[in-house]
Amino acid sequence: MMEGNMWLNDTIGVIPKNSWSIDPFGYSSTMAYLLRRMGFHNMLIQRTHYEVKKELAMKKNLEYLWRQNWDIEETTDIFVHMMPFYSYDIPHTCGPEPAICCQFDFARMRGFSYESCPWRSDPVEINPDNVEERATTLLDQYRKKSTLYRTNTLLIPLGDDFRYVSMEEAEVQFRNYEKLFDYINSNPHLNAEVKFGTLEDYFSTLRDEAEKINYSRPGELGSAELQGFPTLSGDFFTYADRNQDYWSGYYVSRPFFKAVDRVLEQTLRAAEILGSFVLGYCQKFQCAKLPISFSHKLTAARRNLALFQHHDGVTGTAKDHVVVDYGTRMHTSLQDLQLFMSRAVEVLLGDFHDRSDPTLLSHFESVQERSKYDVQLVHKVLHPLEGKAQSVVFFNPLEQTRDEIVMVVVSSPDVSVLNSNGSCLPSQLSPEWQFVSDENISTGRHRLYWRAYVPPLGLETYYVVTGQDCEKAIPAAVKTYTTEQEFSCPQPYDCSKLEAKTVEMKNSNYTLSFDTSRGLLQTVTRHKDGQQTVIGEEIGMYKSHGSGAYLFKPVGDARSIVEEGGHFILTEGPLVQEAHSLPKTEWRKSPLSHSTRIYNCGDAIQDMLIEKEYHVELVGHAFNDRELIVRYKTDIDNQRIFYSDLNGFQMSKRQTYDKIPLQGNYYPMPSLAFLQDSHGNRFSVHSKQSLGAASLKNGWLEIMLDRRLVQDDGRGLGQGVMDNKPMNVIFHLLTESNVSALPKTHSLHTLQPSILSHRVGAHLNYPMHAFMSKKPHEKSFKRAQQSFAPLTASLPCDIHIVNLKVPRPLRFPHTESAEPKFAVLLQRRGWDASYCKRGGLQCTTVGEEPVNLFYMFKDLSAVNVKATSLNLLHDDPEMLGYLEQTGDVAQEGDVLISPMEILAYKLDLQPPSSQEE
């Protein structure tokens, strides 16, 4: 949105203020919030459940003010026009009778390539003989449509997909409508005036009328934004356009690319932040050429990510060759961003080799790589040489210090880890397992783990060495269960057999128990209070008939596919415990294998979560018309109510109803879903990618992982979804109990995540970026700087830097511009105060410690600070509806931010004058 809005302003001098969104399948209230805070005042939507349209139409509530459900102060209201009928095409926009409206789609006359009207009455050219009958027939449809709305101002869209491809087509529509309008407007007894107009014409005419005539209903909650209309809160999921056809399939379709989308999003953000610091410090040294030379590729990455947000992109509902194009664009941008970040890391660590030529390759490369657009990220293997060191630099894209167990893959077990001071660190070696059941389950490589500390938005260097005097990485103990063949124990590990029916794995926070013969997680016990939660992990499969890219149409319930047998491997070490399961199923090649990990990291976030990694391969005709799920059958008495997020920004309450089919009880889960009972026991699943979720029975939370569908579902795609890719889906599970009972009058309709839950979500969705030296170097070699810490301190736990960026990098060198060159977007997360305030974490909240932009950065001064809209195009905070005095930041630097809000500021970053060279 920011990129597109700024392009419009830069290119044709237009700042949009009305949103037109007719084709997304259901609507999120987060979009209404973002649009309002971007300076939009009106929006138009179309695809909402047909029963919702009917209910709103009967009460003349199809036009309303959309308000966020946490908004007590009424600052988020935006005016919405909902189209009333089945579709946005011409047969469904002039009035309630498509057979008549189709007669006024003049491009369906002979001579054009569009199909004739299916109702067997085709349009005819308007002439003096038929104009009266045609005009009154059309006006009758307009009048009928107008009865569904309150005002006398009516909107009639005239178009469809792939229309107005020729001047002749535009001319035939204009010519005929002009004759109809001239007739209506010249006959006062018809009491109507019709004219061509834009969306802005419609909304401004309607607002003028609503200011003169009060259309409010008795007892109606109105809005100061626009009198005469009701206010609504909530979202429009799950969408059905007819019968039992619920559009919940697209929540999961093509999950591989839904995951790539998120990787590009967080990589782009990391690159924007690093680029901002390089430019901020560039007034200190000559390195501005680096980000400026890269700015075309940075802009391309923004646009490739934005392109994929299309309602047939990230949804997984495009044709195969279009998916290839989306995937290739995102892959290209990911490679470009990795190269730029490698150079930026070097510059920020004080290595300025050939700084006059930014195109030179870095001494660093990303630790993870993707060889093609449609394959998984893999870890590059470090090959430590005797007596040499290989440096690994971590970038922490979060606002708080990271204290976590990190991992690289090594070829040799004879390794140690040093920190930037040269001190030896405790480390662990574990075998790297395959996700597919071959003769040899081990790959022959090793995962090297150690505990890393990385400053907020900063860099830290570690060294992997071999032949060092200090303690080598400790090999994990391996325990195995298998019914098939002898297990080949990889070197240098000690392996033993698992004999018991259930097996436990524990760290300082949790004890996990597994069913050995099926490899599934059964229970989680929290040590601090002894609370045991049944997890009841199950892998299941739906058969479907009529499902496609958009629709989910299961035949009956999902059935469990895991049988007794297979391989189950427990790997236990001082830092990481892992349970790796290659389950036995009816198929020779199982569609799924999975790992469960817990960490020992002191009191850090990682200790409090349980990591699940599912490797999914729904590949091959054996899985045609199948949909794969994981289901957690917990003992939490949630009454079939769960909460799922909207755009990673807010939570929405979801209730399962018997009156609608199973597929209608599925909801989007972009990043989080949780169950909770009346005592505050909560089970949360954080996801690294968008999927779909449901709570079909009490205590159950099921999440769909992938779907493979042969048929088209008749919604315009014209094909099935058969291009499934092998992929890994990563969840972080959390069990919590609140420390104080929920207040009787809960101010929000929807429960919020705890602070700990927010931190776990950030930890998963904004992982550290690791870079390694391309060549091993002498152990005595020292970089100019080992670390980079740009913030004066960690920010409070409930503040998130949505982005720190240079919006127009190409203009950066032109110093005559009075406009500040940097932008920072800050979000204050809303959190559930009935849970442990810090979730056991060492951190503060904004309420205790306000944020000041002037003192946020250690060696950079923030100057010329001014509040702006979220698209950076409006500098009047009042126009955006903000309650707090956001404008005052320019004087004091203090950021006044209410829970749930996102604020944007333009600013300049400058090194203090005493440090300038």
Side-chain angles (χ1 to χ4, degrees):
M1 285 290 289
M2 187 188 293
E3 183 68 21
N5 282 196
M6 292 179 81
W7 180 88
L8 276 173
N9 192 33
D10 292 347
T11 310
I12 54 174
V14 167
I15 299 175
K17 55 182 177 181
N18 304 301
S19 164
W20 168 268
S21 181
I22 56 171
D23 216 13
F25 330 128
Y27 294 86
S28 161
S29 45
T30 302
M31 275 311 295
Y33 172 79
L34 294 175
L35 288 166
R36 182 72 190 88
R37 295 292 186 251
M38 286 182 177
F40 285 67
H41 286 274
N42 310 296
M43 56 191 294
L44 178 146
I45 62 176
Q46 150 62 16
R47 288 193 186 273
T48 59
H49 196 299
Y50 60 91
E51 289 288 355
V52 172
K53 289 196 179 207
K54 187 168 148 188
E55 173 70 17
L56 293 175
M58 283 167 66
K59 295 177 177 165
K60 295 196 175 187
N61 288 343
L62 286 164
E63 290 182 319
Y64 59 91
L65 279 301
W66 201 345
R67 179 177 298 167
Q68 300 305 310
N69 63 17
W70 72 82
D71 177 18
I72 303 157
E73 309 291 345
E74 307 180 10
T75 71
T76 60
D77 297 1
I78 185 169
F79 183 71
V80 180
H81 171 94
M82 185 188 294
M83 292 167 67
F85 303 127
Y86 170 76
S87 176
Y88 49 71
D89 61 4
I90 295 173
H92 295 94
T93 46
C94 91
E97 296 166 83
I100 294 174
C101 292
C102 194
Q103 297 167 31
F104 294 90
D105 183 358
F106 297 101
R108 292 183 193 244
M109 295 194 296
R110 270 196 210 137
F112 294 97
S113 57
Y114 305 113
E115 62 178 33
S116 56
C117 291
W119 299 274
R120 308 248 173 109
S121 290
D122 288 327
V124 294
E125 184 79 29
I126 303 299
N127 60 48
D129 296 333
N130 67 10
V131 67
E132 180 181 0
E133 181 273 330
R134 293 282 76 196
T136 52
T137 301
L138 181 62
L139 193 56
D140 178 58
Q141 290 297 304
Y142 290 178
R143 286 199 202 284
K144 286 172 178 170
K145 181 176 179 178
S146 74
T147 63
L148 306 178
Y149 295 93
R150 297 188 181 192
T151 73
N152 291 309
T153 306
L154 185 67
L155 176 69
I156 311 290
L158 187 76
D160 200 346
D161 296 353
F162 315 117
R163 284 301 190 94
Y164 301 113
V165 295
S166 69
M167 285 298 289
E168 291 77 19
E169 181 188 350
E171 162 63 25
V172 78
Q173 298 282 28
F174 181 78
R175 180 177 72 237
N176 283 283
Y177 271 96
E178 190 175 39
K179 291 171 187 170
L180 292 164
F181 292 175
D182 285 348
Y183 179 84
I184 293 168
N185 294 340
S186 61
N187 282 277
H189 69 279
L190 294 175
N191 289 326
E193 182 193 355
V194 198
K195 60 183 180 185
F196 294 104
T198 62
L199 201 56
E200 168 60 19
D201 293 333
Y202 172 70
F203 284 124
S204 60
T205 306
L206 178 138
R207 282 173 173 267
D208 288 346
E209 184 187 339
E211 279 177 20
K212 293 170 192 148
I213 306 168
N214 189 354
Y215 288 103
S216 297
R217 300 289 175 85
E220 187 170 79
L221 274 178
S223 166
E225 166 69 19
L226 184 61
Q227 294 291 336
F229 299 92
T231 56
L232 293 183
S233 292
D235 60 79
F236 292 99
F237 298 111
T238 287
Y239 169 56
D241 58 348
R242 57 183 186 238
N243 306 325
Q244 308 276 288
D245 290 0
Y246 281 84
W247 295 44
S248 47
Y250 82 86
Y251 300 157
V252 188
S253 297
R254 293 182 169 126
F256 178 92
F257 292 104
K258 286 174 163 67
V260 175
D261 170 67
R262 289 274 268 280
V263 173
L264 178 55
E265 184 266 328
Q266 53 95 353
T267 306
L268 176 61
R269 175 182 172 274
E272 299 263 28
I273 291 169
L274 284 172
S276 297
F277 286 131
V278 171
L279 283 172
Y281 288 100
C282 267
Q283 292 133 40
K284 220 167 113 183
F285 39 71
Q286 291 306 306
C287 57
K289 283 184 182 175
L290 168 62
I292 290 163
S293 70
F294 179 75
S295 54
H296 288 293
K297 287 182 175 176
L298 182 70
T299 300
R302 291 173 182 171
R303 292 179 184 178
N304 287 334
L305 177 64
L307 188 71
F308 194 59
Q309 305 317 303
H310 184 276
H311 62 260
D312 283 318
V314 69
T315 52
T317 54
K319 289 184 183 291
D320 288 346
H321 69 277
V322 180
V323 173
V324 172
D325 184 62
Y326 279 134
T328 305
R329 286 168 181 272
M330 291 195 289
H331 177 62
T332 301
S333 286
L334 277 167
Q335 288 183 307
D336 289 342
L337 293 170
Q338 300 278 19
L339 284 172
F340 168 70
M341 289 166 74
S342 302
R343 276 296 262 139
V345 163
E346 219 165 24
V347 168
L348 293 171
L349 290 179
D351 183 349
F352 305 125
H353 72 284
D354 302 306
R355 61 186 175 189
S356 60
D357 185 0
T359 58
L360 283 173
L361 288 176
S362 169
H363 293 149
F364 287 110
E365 60 187 352
S366 177
V367 166
Q368 290 186 301
E369 68 177 344
R370 190 190 302 269
S371 58
K372 257 169 80 221
Y373 80 94
D374 61 349
V375 298
Q376 287 273 80
L377 270 172
V378 294
H379 280 261
K380 288 179 184 159
V381 182
L382 274 73
H383 302 281
L385 300 175
E386 184 69 31
K388 300 266 182 159
Q390 198 142 16
S391 47
V392 182
V393 177
F394 292 96
F395 171 58
N396 169 16
L398 287 182
E399 317 75 14
Q400 289 88 25
T401 299
R402 272 312 238 276
D403 171 9
E404 68 183 65
I405 307 292
V406 295
M407 187 272 290
V408 295
V409 176
V410 293
S411 57
S412 154
D414 177 24
V415 287
S416 309
V417 179
L418 310 178
N419 66 12
S420 55
N421 302 327
S423 306
C424 302
L425 297 177
S427 57
Q428 174 186 326
L429 207 65
S430 294
E432 185 185 54
W433 304 118
Q434 311 238 37
F435 277 113
V436 285
S437 181
D438 281 344
E439 294 288 309
N440 205 345
I441 298 172
S442 164
T443 64
R445 298 185 293 265
H446 312 272
R447 290 184 161 199
L448 174 65
Y449 296 98
W450 71 93
R451 187 173 175 178
Y453 296 86
V454 187
L457 302 188
L459 302 166
E460 189 61 51
T461 307
Y462 292 88
Y463 299 97
V464 176
V465 298
T466 183
Q468 187 73 5
D469 300 336
C470 64
E471 183 186 347
K472 287 184 190 171
I474 298 168
V478 176
K479 299 174 184 173
T480 67
Y481 164 88
T482 179
T483 53
E484 294 179 14
Q485 72 259 13
E486 282 302 303
F487 174 77
S488 172
C489 184
Q491 293 297 321
Y493 304 95
D494 281 332
C495 300
S496 59
K497 285 192 173 177
L498 287 170
E499 306 287 357
K501 284 189 172 179
T502 60
V503 62
E504 291 186 344
M505 185 168 85
K506 61 182 73 174
N507 68 359
S508 60
N509 266 312
Y510 294 118
T511 297
L512 279 55
S513 78
F514 295 87
D515 169 352
T516 314
S517 65
R518 287 185 171 83
L520 297 168
L521 178 60
Q522 291 181 319
T523 64
V524 171
T525 306
R526 258 198 327 268
H527 296 164
K528 69 177 179 185
D529 54 9
Q531 173 79 35
Q532 185 182 85
T533 305
V534 172
I535 302 297
E537 181 183 24
E538 179 180 270
I539 311 298
M541 191 89 84
Y542 284 102
K543 280 186 181 175
S544 60
H545 180 73
S547 283
Y550 302 93
L551 305 184
F552 173 36
K553 300 188 84 172
V555 179
D557 194 9
R559 68 179 179 87
S560 175
I561 61 168
V562 176
E563 302 166 2
E564 288 194 2
H567 300 280
F568 182 67
I569 307 165
L570 208 59
T571 316
E572 296 177 303
L575 299 176
V576 185
Q577 281 69 250
E578 177 178 35
H580 187 66
S581 175
L582 297 163
K584 185 182 179 194
T585 63
E586 67 185 73
W587 300 277
R588 193 181 64 79
K589 189 176 179 187
S590 174
L592 179 139
S593 54
H594 55 106
S595 293
T596 311
R597 299 182 196 95
I598 50 177
Y599 296 87
N600 290 316
C601 195
D603 284 334
I605 293 169
Q606 251 177 330
D607 270 43
M608 304 185 199
L609 59 88
I610 298 156
E611 185 170 285
K612 284 290 320 185
E613 182 170 14
Y614 295 95
H615 179 79
V616 179
E617 290 200 31
L618 211 60
V619 177
H621 296 306
F623 304 114
N624 285 358
D625 291 320
R626 297 286 193 279
E627 285 149 302
L628 181 70
I629 62 158
V630 59
R631 186 179 277 163
Y632 303 109
K633 295 159 90 165
T634 77
D635 57 352
I636 291 174
D637 180 17
N638 72 318
Q639 305 289 309
R640 298 199 301 171
I641 293 169
F642 75 108
Y643 297 83
S644 69
D645 73 298
L646 292 167
N647 315 77
F649 175 67
Q650 60 182 314
M651 302 304 294
S652 192
K653 182 180 177 179
R654 309 300 189 188
Q655 185 155 0
T656 299
Y657 293 102
D658 293 324
K659 66 183 178 182
I660 60 175
L662 186 158
Q663 59 267 29
N665 286 303
Y666 249 80
Y667 290 95
M669 175 192 164
S671 66
L672 171 63
F674 64 76
L675 311 174
Q676 182 169 322
D677 64 19
S678 57
H679 304 295
N681 296 308
R682 186 181 281 190
F683 171 67
S684 305
V685 179
H686 289 268
S687 173
K688 205 169 180 174
Q689 66 182 87
S690 295
L691 295 166
S695 179
L696 300 175
K697 291 191 180 172
N698 194 33
W700 288 16
L701 180 63
E702 75 174 58
I703 300 163
M704 191 177 286
L705 300 174
D706 200 359
R707 50 205 311 266
R708 181 180 179 85
L709 307 154
V710 178
Q711 303 296 326
D712 178 56
D713 53 11
R715 293 307 186 276
L717 178 57
Q719 61 161 78
V721 179
M722 305 276 284
D723 54 355
N724 305 67
K725 315 289 180 199
M727 57 157 199
N728 293 358
V729 176
I730 300 177
F731 295 152
H732 282 174
L733 315 184
L734 198 57
T735 68
E736 298 173 281
S737 295
N738 62 355
V739 290
S740 61
L742 290 173
K744 290 281 185 288
T745 55
H746 207 263
S747 61
L748 296 169
H749 303 303
T750 296
L751 299 180
Q752 299 274 31
S754 64
I755 281 222
L756 173 61
S757 186
H758 278 305
R759 293 289 303 277
V760 167
H763 183 277
L764 178 62
N765 279 292
Y766 298 97
M768 291 215 276
H769 292 261
F771 304 89
M772 65 185 196
S773 52
K774 288 179 180 172
K775 293 177 182 167
H777 43 74
E778 298 304 322
K779 277 189 281 196
S780 57
F781 169 80
K782 279 278 188 280
R783 301 201 171 277
Q785 288 166 244
Q786 308 287 320
S787 61
F788 168 69
L791 298 191
T792 45
S794 283
L795 293 187
C797 265
D798 50 350
I799 285 285
H800 171 53
I801 295 179
V802 178
N803 212 340
L804 170 64
K805 65 192 291 185
V806 177
R808 295 181 170 98
L810 284 171
R811 296 187 185 181
F812 192 86
H814 307 301
T815 46
E816 69 276 2
S817 166
E819 189 70 7
K821 298 188 178 104
F822 295 82
V824 64
L825 287 88
L826 301 173
Q827 176 195 0
R828 183 176 176 189
R829 295 186 168 116
W831 48 276
D832 193 327
S834 65
Y835 283 80
C836 184
K837 189 151 108 186
R838 296 181 181 81
L841 304 170
Q842 303 300 309
C843 68
T844 58
T845 59
V846 177
E848 304 164 312
E849 182 190 12
V851 172
N852 189 294
L853 277 179
F854 293 174
Y855 307 115
M856 187 185 287
F857 303 102
K858 196 183 285 177
D859 298 320
L860 293 170
S861 301
V863 296
N864 303 333
V865 179
K866 59 181 177 183
T868 184
S869 57
L870 297 188
N871 58 5
L872 312 182
L873 295 173
H874 302 281
D875 295 343
D876 174 10
E878 279 185 31
M879 173 215 169
L880 308 168
Y882 286 114
L883 196 67
E884 301 280 5
Q885 295 305 302
T886 54
D888 294 351
V889 74
Q891 280 70 48
E892 307 294 329
D894 284 326
V895 175
L896 299 168
I897 181 166
S898 303
M900 297 303 299
E901 290 283 12
I902 303 174
L903 297 182
Y905 296 98
K906 295 177 189 172
L907 68 159
D908 277 318
L909 294 178
Q910 296 174 353
S913 51
S914 60
Q915 297 177 1
E916 284 186 16
E917 291 179 3

